[in-house]
Amino acid sequence: MATTIIQTEKLVGKRIRRREDPRLITGTATYVDDMQMPGMHHAAIVRSPHAAAKIRSISIKAAAEAPGVVAVFTGKDTEKVGPVPCGASLPGLRVPHHYILAIDRVYLVGHPVAVVVATDRYLARDAADLVEVDWEVLPAVADPEKAIAPGAPPVHPQWPDNVAFVYNQEGGDVDKAFAEAEVIVKQRITSQRLIPSAMETRGVLAEWRGADRQMTLYTSTQVPHLVRTLVAGMLGLEENRMRVVAPEVGGGFGSKLNIYPEEALMGFVSMKIGKPVKWIESRRENFLCTIHGRGHVDYFEVAAKKDGTILGIKLKLIQDQGAYHQLLGPAIPTLSVLMMPGLYRTKNIRAEVIGVFTNCTPTDAYRGAGRPEATHGIERMVDILADELGIDPAEIRLKNFVHNEEFPFPTATGLTYDSGDYAAPLQKAMGIVDYTKLRAEQAAARKQGKLMGIGICTYGEICGFGPSPATPAGGWECGTVRVEPSGKVTLLTGSCHHGQGEETTFAQLAADELGVDIDDILVLRGDTAIVPYGIGTFGSRATAIGGTALYYAMQDLKVKMKKFGAIMLDSHDVSYANGQVVCNKMGKSVSFKEIAAASYRAMKLPPNTEPGLVSTHFWEPPNFTFGFGAHIAVTEIDPETGQITVRRYLAVDDCGNIINPLIVDGQVHGGVAQGMGQALWEQAVYDDNGQLVTGEYTDYTMPRAHMMPWIESQHTTTPSPVNPLGVKGVGEAGTIGASPSLVNSVVDALSHLGVRHIDMPLTPEKIWKLVAGGKN
Amino acid sequence: MIPQTFEYTAPKTLDEAMALLASGGKPLAGGMSLIPMMKLRLATPEHLVDLGRIKDLDYIREAAGELHIGATTTHYSVESSALVRGKCPLLSAAAGAIGDPQIRNVGTMGGSVAHADPAADYPAALQALEAKIVIRGAKGERTVSAADFFVDAFTTSLESGEVVREVVVPVEQAGTGTSYLKMPQPASGFAIVGVAVRVQRSGGKITLARIGVTGLSNIGYRAWAAEKALEGSAGSADDITKAAALVAQGIDANSDLHASADYRRHLASVYAARAITAAASKA
Ligand SMILES: Cc1cc2nc3c(=O)[nH]c(=O)nc-3n(C[C@H](O)[C@H](O)[C@H](O)COP(=O)(O)OP(=O)(O)OC[C@H]3O[C@@H](n4cnc5c(N)ncnc54)[C@H](O)[C@@H]3O)c2cc1C
């Protein structure tokens, strides 16, 4: 037994390269579409070309007789499969029965009406064209405000007003705040529909083994355990007879935080044909049949004093739900309401949310999920107020921030902000860009007829979703640490990361916590047969909750290690340090490997000693965590063409303690790119007939590398008291901060022309019209 | 991508290809326009004849004061060729403005002109260069001017069974200045508006002006009125603004999600003014 103490270098806080990247970058990772099985069949789905239509009849004869086709199923066959679930509950919520295949009516373009199963993917696709549907086309409505206007065609005939739900929330005394106001500013602000565009489209492979009564469902999802519970229920299968595996998942951004018809449909087909069956979503299907994000029309009113003190905020929020509720759809705008106060002290808030059915793709969680919309609104309103009062946008923010001594700060919307120093990132950002100098430069530029803008956004983000009472399916996370007999460490996490880098950050945590080599650590996730249970990765929660669950599991594991160490050293006075158990008196120690081997070999254990080295912890967070930050965008506008150049983009984010700065930078960069996409380019456009006009990447402007400015990423650090790691979350910060800072910047560039607000995306044509109009 | 079933042949010589095309085959070059349409089943060719293996279609040669560019020469080759850069910089500028590097590495000169996308970049340059298109058919070869080649959106004067064999552009003469400027449609990279300008100057006057415009209407066209206004002028800023204002004259401008007709027309004159100014400064 060695006596030397190994001083392991701490890994938390280091810019360690992502351990998952080699396989991702070299294209050798295993996604659903890479999986092959003996006897595997392929499915192609027949979808509605109409946004609203009755199905008079479906003829499957020609398809069923086509080469290679083994089965064709329509809604009549799948009628008994349970509906696609909506997990959100709101008082009075209208939930249309969401069959996995349409029965006699379709509600959106892309609505599945039949599935063709063949021995080959190409044959299945060819045969799908042979399914003949006799349609009676009905009028459709694709705009939420038009949908709730009198005389609009009903999406679901049983609810002719197209109202899916109404949700009201109020805090403080809003009427008094508005009565006492010295100034009130109002603005209609939209957050357009976006298409999440994960690089990997969805895909499902179902394998039913009748003799074992066992279903294995491989699906590209963020939430495998939830899929198991809910899809097993839809299929009438006992939950423990179903195993769900999320192999490599090529991005989700919320779009795979869902239960989709195809998951149950493939299960159904496999049970019917007794063979494995695979379906891979085409990009076109992905645009139409995977959830969209945002889709808000917001009417904001802000009451304030002349000195800029915000007294109260009113919001009427019209949420385009699409034709159905997907898993969390109706809950998303309620998150916007929670986030309405932003970082500001105001205690008087009133929100009225109207969820509206349209003949469009359902909306649901998309990176930020309700918070970017709220932040965009409030940060635009603060700028409008500043403009109205002639106060600098930075100054008005500093004036209204929650004070440092007020934490934990209860908001008017019922949240408790955990910790913060809200002025810090703004002041840091202003220092880095030399704000005063920039303003002087802007004034000089204006004199020469040049258009230059400086936009600030200070945002708050609800991270770490979340305490169970506030989440539809439990908000805890499960972590297991298993030391193998050889001393290797396997971490099992319920956080089903899909590109965020937890294979690296969790290993860093464990290497430090247990004092073992990071190369001895393997992180497993995404398989219900391996991980005891899990909630998943979304809502900037994986590290704050999943990481904490692992942290506590490791504490428990260390107790066990000490127990074995004490037996091996024959001493009661032992401690755990740097991957060994040390006898405090003698200085003797046993190594991690020795303890691991002994715990399983169990040769000399006293009676009643439990062998093995596995610890599992389910961690329930006492609160959300609240990240925050300040982004500054400097833009220039070509007055002749309306084109915008982002000259500088600085993000100063506070996400609490940082485990891996490289990964945090990556999250910020990706998030900013997505927020910039919304601000400048992306929009899902429907025509009046409910056809998606931007149905391909030739018309839907995804931001690409060459369109990006340099993104500077800086931080302030305010640890969270909510978890022992002091971490908050950063997965969505960039997306939340980017759109307001960019739009504020462009509006700022045009403010001297009388421009107060511009709806996204800021296309050059919109800008050109404003410049031309302003000059007249 | 799952297109409809099709046959595929990759002949090694143009003669073999011509025989296959005569029996109903469809040419495949870079596939950057054809394959996306096949993916959506908007195009359902039964037989693709890949021109990519025919060696003597991929070349850039100079002969008798002209550059000859073989049909399967990629956009990247045109963009990067020292010969084209030196002797016909307008064409390499247009090639370099196409899409993104992946597209330029695969897409071809012949495919682009044959496809005749109204927002493609080459047509503007080919009009300004008064280029010639050499067409090979069952009965032999014929040569048409760019002005006669582009007939309508996605329509050329190619007859069935014919292929573009090469494109011929003049070597730039001394005293010439050129420029190609475009506003790309942000999603696809195609031109919302693209303006190619070739001017010659002598004795303080613009003696020749050729202006090709793409993206604005159904085809890449020559802006005759603007050319005329410029020729004979001193090329002052004022002359340029006046001429540029005429580029969209009499044109039925396109309107879509990305730009209205009014905005496109406005952009055409802005880009024309900028391209003329840039070209004139080099002349
Ligand atoms: C994402 C994207 C962005 C793009 N951006 C731009 C852009 O900014 N500007 C631009 O100009 N273009 C752009 N393109 C189009 C690109 O330049 C294509 O390469 C070009 O239009 C077609 O050339 P190809 O060689 O790929 O032809 P293919 O796609 O193979 O063929 C196109 C058509 O021409 C026919 N054909 C091909 N060769 C011949 C020939 N020699 N004779 C007769 N017929 C022939 C084919 O039968 C087919 O009908 C873009 C394409 C994509 C996918």
Side-chain angles (χ1 to χ4, degrees):
Chain A
M1 289 178 195
T3 46
T4 44
I5 304 287
I6 308 154
Q7 201 59 49
T8 349
E9 190 195 7
K10 290 284 176 218
L11 297 183
V12 167
K14 291 241 158 66
R15 299 178 78 86
I16 293 177
R17 288 215 202 161
R18 304 202 326 167
R19 305 158 91 214
E20 46 269 78
D21 278 347
R23 67 172 190 273
L24 297 177
I25 291 170
T26 57
T28 48
T30 305
Y31 299 88
V32 174
D33 200 15
D34 295 311
M35 306 191 68
Q36 302 294 335
M37 281 189 183
M40 187 173 82
H41 282 57
H42 297 265
I45 295 172
V46 180
R47 298 184 182 276
S48 170
H50 305 293
K54 282 187 188 159
I55 300 172
R56 290 207 195 94
S57 65
I58 303 180
S59 167
I60 61 166
K61 194 167 178 293
E65 288 167 1
V69 173
V70 300
V72 181
F73 301 102
T74 67
K76 285 203 181 72
D77 303 304
T78 58
E79 202 164 5
K80 295 224 168 65
V81 175
V84 179
C86 169
S89 53
L90 293 173
L93 178 68
R94 291 166 168 175
V95 183
H97 192 96
H98 190 171
Y99 292 100
I100 62 169
L101 291 176
I103 304 292
D104 53 7
R105 194 179 167 120
V106 292
Y107 302 92
L108 71 158
V109 175
H111 199 143
V113 294
V115 58
V116 176
V117 187
T119 51
D120 170 290
R121 192 157 156 192
Y122 288 78
L123 295 176
R125 173 67 185 80
D126 285 348
D129 283 352
L130 302 176
V131 172
E132 280 173 37
V133 185
D134 184 8
W135 301 105
E136 181 186 331
V137 179
L138 301 168
V141 62
D143 175 287
E145 286 193 294
K146 285 185 187 157
I148 47 173
V155 175
H156 298 281
Q158 66 271 39
W159 300 309
D161 58 5
N162 288 325
V163 173
F165 61 89
V166 174
Y167 170 81
N168 293 311
Q169 190 173 338
E170 180 151 355
D173 192 339
V174 179
D175 289 331
K176 182 160 169 267
F178 275 75
E180 287 172 359
E182 290 165 352
V183 55
I184 294 173
V185 286
K186 304 180 184 186
Q187 183 62 48
R188 175 184 186 272
I189 297 173
T190 60
S191 267
Q192 77 275 28
R193 256 181 188 266
L194 301 176
I195 300 177
S197 299
M199 210 184 280
E200 182 211 15
T201 59
R202 289 185 295 123
V204 186
L205 166 57
E207 184 199 23
W208 170 246
R209 293 192 188 165
D212 302 349
R213 195 169 171 71
Q214 182 69 41
M215 173 81 77
T216 307
L217 198 75
Y218 300 86
T219 179
S220 183
T221 185
Q222 301 172 227
V223 286
H225 283 89
L226 203 61
V227 170
R228 181 181 63 148
T229 304
L230 294 173
V231 175
M234 290 166 78
L235 293 172
L237 201 60
E238 307 80 27
E239 187 173 9
N240 52 3
R241 298 257 165 212
M242 177 126 162
R243 171 185 172 199
V244 173
V245 183
E248 199 79 64
V249 174
F253 309 112
S255 73
K256 295 171 183 170
L257 160 56
N258 231 306
I259 307 295
Y260 285 101
E262 295 86 356
E263 289 170 323
L265 184 58
M266 290 310 113
F268 170 88
V269 170
S270 184
M271 290 171 94
K272 282 281 175 202
I273 67 169
K275 293 269 175 12
V277 60
K278 188 203 272 185
W279 166 77
I280 298 295
E281 188 185 48
S282 71
R283 184 57 69 180
R284 183 93 178 169
E285 287 180 299
N286 183 262
F287 270 47
L288 291 169
C289 311
T290 291
I291 60 107
H292 290 176
R294 321 276 188 256
H296 270 215
V297 181
D298 295 333
Y299 291 86
F300 269 98
E301 290 183 43
V302 172
K305 288 203 269 191
K306 280 215 171 95
D307 68 358
T309 307
I310 298 171
L311 299 173
I313 307 170
K314 285 192 218 172
L315 167 64
K316 181 179 168 190
L317 190 170
I318 298 169
Q319 170 74 51
D320 179 354
Q321 282 292 306
Y324 282 116
H325 303 310
Q326 280 284 348
L327 190 64
L328 300 171
I332 304 303
T334 67
L335 299 181
S336 304
V337 172
L338 291 182
M339 215 55 251
M340 259 172 78
L343 301 182
Y344 310 116
R345 300 178 70 214
T346 179
K347 290 279 191 169
N348 306 307
I349 301 282
R350 176 184 297 157
E352 179 194 7
V353 182
I354 307 170
V356 181
F357 289 121
T358 57
N359 293 104
C360 301
T361 302
T363 55
D364 203 325
Y366 169 57
R367 200 171 193 174
R371 289 102 87 211
E373 297 90 321
T375 306
H376 190 76
I378 190 65
E379 287 303 290
R380 283 269 51 246
M381 290 311 291
V382 169
D383 260 32
I384 289 170
L385 179 64
D387 185 59
E388 174 80 20
L389 296 172
I391 302 177
D392 184 272
E395 192 189 322
I396 200 165
R397 286 174 167 83
L398 290 165
K399 184 172 199 80
N400 284 287
F401 283 151
V402 172
H403 301 166
N404 290 1
E405 67 280 5
E406 290 174 308
F407 293 99
F409 179 80
T411 75
T413 53
L415 298 172
T416 304
Y417 290 169
D418 57 343
S419 61
D421 180 356
Y422 292 165
L426 178 56
Q427 280 158 346
K428 182 167 179 177
M430 290 168 74
I432 292 170
V433 300
D434 198 340
Y435 186 72
T436 320
K437 203 168 141 204
L438 267 184
R439 285 280 173 213
E441 191 192 331
Q442 180 189 34
R446 269 187 191 171
K447 279 197 190 120
Q448 295 166 23
K450 287 191 186 149
L451 302 173
M452 169 187 163
I454 306 155
I456 296 174
C457 164
T458 48
Y459 73 89
E461 181 194 359
I462 314 176
C463 300
F465 273 82
S468 292
T471 27
W476 41 266
E477 196 49 273
C478 171
T480 297
V481 189
R482 189 171 74 209
V483 179
E484 314 292 358
S486 60
K488 301 285 176 189
V489 178
T490 308
L491 307 179
L492 313 178
T493 174
S495 299
C496 184
H497 46 265
H498 45 282
Q500 292 86 349
E502 274 87 5
E503 272 179 57
T504 307
T505 47
F506 285 177
Q508 282 175 263
L509 277 178
D512 281 9
E513 209 43 56
L514 300 177
V516 299
D517 190 330
I518 191 166
D519 291 332
D520 285 341
I521 301 169
L522 177 70
V523 182
L524 295 179
R525 70 4 133 216
D527 186 339
T528 62
I530 293 178
V531 178
Y533 205 88
I535 300 298
T537 289
F538 55 87
S540 301
R541 72 190 303 277
T543 307
I545 307 182
T548 302
L550 283 170
Y551 171 85
Y552 282 117
M554 288 189 277
Q555 305 314 310
D556 184 48
L557 185 92
K558 286 196 281 190
V559 171
K560 290 188 181 174
M561 301 224 41
K562 278 204 301 196
K563 175 189 75 180
F564 291 118
I567 294 167
M568 294 166 78
L569 292 164
D570 197 14
S571 158
H572 290 296
D573 183 17
V574 295
S575 50
Y576 185 97
N578 302 318
Q580 341 177 57
V581 173
V582 187
C583 169
N584 292 337
K585 277 206 200 102
M586 318 274 291
K588 275 193 174 174
S589 65
V590 275
S591 74
F592 197 85
K593 265 191 158 177
E594 289 166 330
I595 297 169
S599 76
Y600 286 96
R601 185 62 189 83
M603 278 280 274
K604 296 177 188 159
L605 300 185
N608 298 325
T609 309
E610 187 189 356
L613 268 178
V614 184
S615 290
T616 294
H617 191 92
F618 282 64
W619 191 62
E620 169 68 32
N623 189 5
F624 299 102
T625 56
F626 295 86
F628 56 94
H631 290 201
I632 294 185
V634 183
T635 57
E636 276 170 1
I637 292 167
D638 179 335
E640 280 189 310
T641 65
Q643 272 170 316
I644 298 162
T645 307
V646 181
R647 210 177 83 178
R648 188 157 190 190
Y649 195 96
L650 169 68
V652 181
D653 300 292
D654 194 321
C655 57
N657 289 337
I658 292 178
I659 295 170
N660 185 328
L662 185 69
I663 289 180
V664 167
D665 281 355
Q667 288 294 316
V668 170
H669 292 171
V672 168
Q674 273 174 308
M676 197 171 285
Q678 171 161 26
L680 303 182
W681 303 297
E682 295 181 54
Q683 57 177 335
V685 178
Y686 284 88
D687 70 12
D688 288 343
N689 299 319
Q691 295 288 340
L692 182 62
V693 180
T694 52
E696 292 280 324
Y697 283 126
T698 46
D699 280 311
Y700 187 84
T701 310
M702 273 295 287
R704 275 159 292 163
H706 74 91
M707 298 153 87
M708 284 293 124
W710 185 254
I711 298 165
E712 297 166 64
S713 176
Q714 296 279 340
H715 300 279
T716 59
T717 304
T718 310
S720 172
V722 173
N723 59 67
L725 308 177
V727 298
K728 293 196 166 191
V730 75
E732 295 155 298
T735 321
I736 295 171
S739 78
S741 55
L742 286 158
V743 176
N744 283 348
S745 181
V746 172
V747 171
D748 181 56
L750 303 176
S751 61
H752 59 300
L753 305 174
V755 175
R756 264 207 160 177
H757 177 70
I758 314 169
D759 272 327
M760 302 180 287
L762 305 181
T763 60
E765 178 160 8
K766 276 186 202 169
I767 307 300
W768 167 69
K769 279 185 177 148
L770 288 168
V771 175
K775 272 182 192 157
N776 288 340
Chain B
M1 90 135 194
I2 306 192
Q4 253 173 34
T5 312
F6 60 89
E7 249 186 273
Y8 171 88
T9 321
K12 295 254 156 48
T13 67
L14 187 54
D15 288 339
E16 280 174 68
M18 295 313 295
L20 293 164
L21 295 171
S23 55
K26 178 151 183 72
L28 170 72
M32 293 294 96
S33 294
L34 184 51
I35 289 175
M37 291 198 301
M38 289 170 64
K39 177 190 95 166
L40 297 174
R41 301 195 171 203
L42 294 173
T44 53
E46 283 172 12
H47 183 185
L48 286 187
V49 180
D50 190 345
L51 306 180
R53 310 281 165 87
I54 303 172
K55 284 215 175 62
D56 55 357
L57 280 181
D58 180 9
Y59 57 81
I60 298 172
R61 288 184 203 125
E62 183 181 3
E66 291 178 323
L67 294 186
H68 298 252
I69 293 144
T72 60
T73 309
T74 63
H75 308 327
Y76 175 74
S77 297
V78 176
E79 172 194 6
S80 60
S81 146
L83 192 59
V84 184
R85 285 190 168 191
K87 305 229 161 156
C88 191
L90 179 56
L91 194 65
S92 73
I98 295 173
D100 50 46
Q102 287 94 325
I103 300 296
R104 295 199 289 277
N105 278 325
V106 183
T108 69
M109 170 65 85
S112 178
V113 297
H115 191 59
D117 192 303
D121 293 295
Y122 277 138
L126 297 181
Q127 290 285 18
L129 289 164
E130 298 171 281
K132 291 178 288 189
I133 321 289
V134 179
I135 296 170
R136 173 81 175 266
K139 289 182 219 119
E141 285 199 345
R142 61 193 179 99
T143 300
V144 297
S145 68
D148 292 333
F149 182 80
F150 297 109
V151 175
D152 203 342
F154 305 106
T155 310
T156 66
S157 58
L158 280 174
E159 303 281 344
S160 134
E162 285 187 328
V163 292
V164 172
R165 189 174 66 74
E166 66 173 19
V167 169
V168 185
V169 293
V171 165
E172 191 175 291
Q173 289 167 24
T176 305
T178 61
S179 170
Y180 180 66
L181 293 177
K182 87 190 256 200
M183 180 190 260
Q185 193 261 58
S188 72
F190 276 98
I192 284 181
V193 159
V195 182
V197 174
R198 178 167 65 115
V199 295
Q200 285 168 5
R201 220 195 245 281
S202 121
K205 285 224 154 65
I206 304 272
T207 51
L208 174 135
R210 295 291 179 267
I211 302 174
V213 183
T214 191
L216 193 63
S217 74
N218 57 337
I219 53 169
Y221 64 90
R222 262 182 68 185
W224 304 96
E227 291 177 1
K228 234 184 236 146
L230 208 55
E231 283 178 355
S233 81
S236 70
D238 198 37
D239 296 331
I240 291 173
T241 312
K242 278 191 188 136
L246 300 173
V247 286
Q249 203 181 52
I251 293 297
D252 188 9
N254 296 332
S255 175
D256 60 23
L257 182 66
H258 301 282
S260 68
D262 279 351
Y263 181 52
R264 269 200 165 78
R265 231 179 267 124
H266 165 77
L267 286 177
S269 55
V270 171
Y271 278 81
R274 291 179 184 181
I276 296 168
T277 307
S281 76
K282 295 182 218 161

